[in-house]
Amino acid sequence: MSTPRHPKGLYFIFATSTAERFSYYGMRAIFILFLTQALLFDKEHAASIYGSYTGLVYLTPLIGGYIADKYWGIRRSVFWGAMMMAVGQFLMFASASMLEARELSHWLMYGGLTFLILGNGCFKPTVSSLVGQLYEPGDKRL
């Protein structure tokens, strides 16, 4: 007797979620250094930005879950959340690439953080629900 395989979409969702977590925790690990050493913020201002970013990343899934339930649906929320986070990472990269234009670099960083926060708000609360939709009701593997 063979064991049924997991749905193919599960591996894609796993890879996407892993990339999202790597993006979040990887950036958090070096974010204060980037703010103080590259963008030349003082430590207090850098800590304030870091704390605001972290707090909003944990707050926005409440709003994102509501939007997914009432308007967009789960799949659309996951897709647009992932797209917004990708844009946010590209803006953060652009910010780090244009350090000589300090004002522009700061605005790119703030824009990148905004996209990362909003993207996480749409992505995080819905991705686990998407996994649940891959299996039939009553499936023991769920």
Side-chain angles (χ1 to χ4, degrees), residues 28-105:
R28 276 187 56 185
I30 60 172
F31 192 43
I32 292 286
L33 287 174
F34 174 67
L35 291 173
T36 57
Q37 302 299 312
L39 295 180
L40 304 177
F41 287 119
D42 60 29
K43 289 181 183 178
E44 292 79 21
H45 189 65
S48 175
I49 292 170
Y50 176 82
S52 298
Y53 168 70
T54 302
L56 288 169
V57 161
Y58 284 103
L59 176 67
T60 54
L62 295 171
I63 299 164
Y66 178 79
I67 290 170
D69 286 344
K70 294 289 184 183
Y71 303 107
W72 285 2
I74 291 172
R75 290 177 190 255
R76 188 177 295 164
S77 291
V78 168
F79 175 78
W80 286 110
M83 290 296 110
M84 285 189 272
M85 287 187 294
V87 168
Q89 287 295 341
F90 282 117
L91 289 173
M92 293 297 285
F93 171 77
S95 172
S97 299
M98 300 182 183
L99 294 175
E100 63 280 348
R102 187 170 309 215
E103 183 83 14
L104 176 61
S105 185

